[in-house]
Amino acid sequence: MEVNDVVATILERETKSTIAAWLYRVNAEPDIITVRLNDEDRCFHLPNLFRDLVTRLRNPLPLGTRALTSDAADDHGCLRRVQGYTPAMLVEESRMLQVSIFQTLRDHLSTLDMSVVLADVMTIADEVDSQLAQSMASYMFEDRREADFIEV
């Protein structure tokens, strides 16, 4: 395994446990759990997000480069709007996801080469934020579509 592939491999292997850690955090957040969803519906978007993240780690873009468009992120924003989430809830979900991902990496610190892990952490933050921005854009677009429909 190449040195720059270690973080991607850890996240790929630990996707389910990282999602479980995220779900635990989300279920403890009073503002988010006001939207009643079963675990499957709450986590539905995460396997695709992890696939996108692993792909980005294995095929890095220069930091700050507009990440590839994610249909899953777009769908997530629209779905969360329909489910009753607020924009703040989307941001909080994303923050908790980053915390959960970084906790997974901390749990595997002994297998990581610190000389490359910082670049991967920056890539993770960039990709998660990019997907949040895409989700927010589709959330807001859905809002505009509803407003246009009401005005007609």
Side-chain angles (χ1 to χ4, degrees), residues 104-147:
T104 295
L105 295 181
R106 192 178 101 189
D107 292 347
H108 292 83
L109 211 49
S110 65
T111 63
L112 296 172
D113 179 349
M114 294 310 291
S115 67
V116 296
V117 82
L118 181 57
D120 285 344
V121 166
M122 292 167 60
T123 297
I124 290 166
D126 193 40
E127 179 64 22
V128 172
D129 287 348
S130 174
Q131 292 215 12
L132 172 60
Q134 290 176 63
S135 292
M136 292 297 292
S138 66
Y139 180 101
M140 299 310 289
F141 179 74
E142 188 68 25
D143 187 32
R144 285 193 302 272
R145 282 185 17 190
E146 285 177 14

Side-chain angles (χ1 to χ4, degrees), residues 11 18 25 49-50 53 96-106 124 128:
L11 292 180
T18 305
R25 284 182 171 87
L49 187 147
F50 272 85
L53 180 55
M96 289 181 191
L97 179 61
Q98 287 193 51
V99 168
S100 298
I101 290 169
F102 296 146
Q103 180 66 52
T104 295
L105 295 181
R106 192 178 101 189
I124 290 166
V128 172

Side-chain angles (χ1 to χ4, degrees), residues 14-29 43 46 50 93 95-105 107:
E14 299 297 330
T15 294
K16 287 183 181 178
S17 64
T18 305
I19 290 172
W22 173 85
L23 183 61
Y24 180 82
R25 284 182 171 87
V26 167
N27 283 335
E29 178 55 46
C43 298
L46 291 174
F50 272 85
E93 260 191 353
R95 185 189 71 76
M96 289 181 191
L97 179 61
Q98 287 193 51
V99 168
S100 298
I101 290 169
F102 296 146
Q103 180 66 52
T104 295
L105 295 181
D107 292 347

Side-chain angles (χ1 to χ4, degrees), residues 52 55-56 61 65-71 127 130-131 134:
D52 290 345
T55 297
R56 171 105 185 256
L61 299 170
T65 301
R66 180 68 92 177
L68 301 175
T69 301
S70 169
D71 290 337
E127 179 64 22
S130 174
Q131 292 215 12
Q134 290 176 63

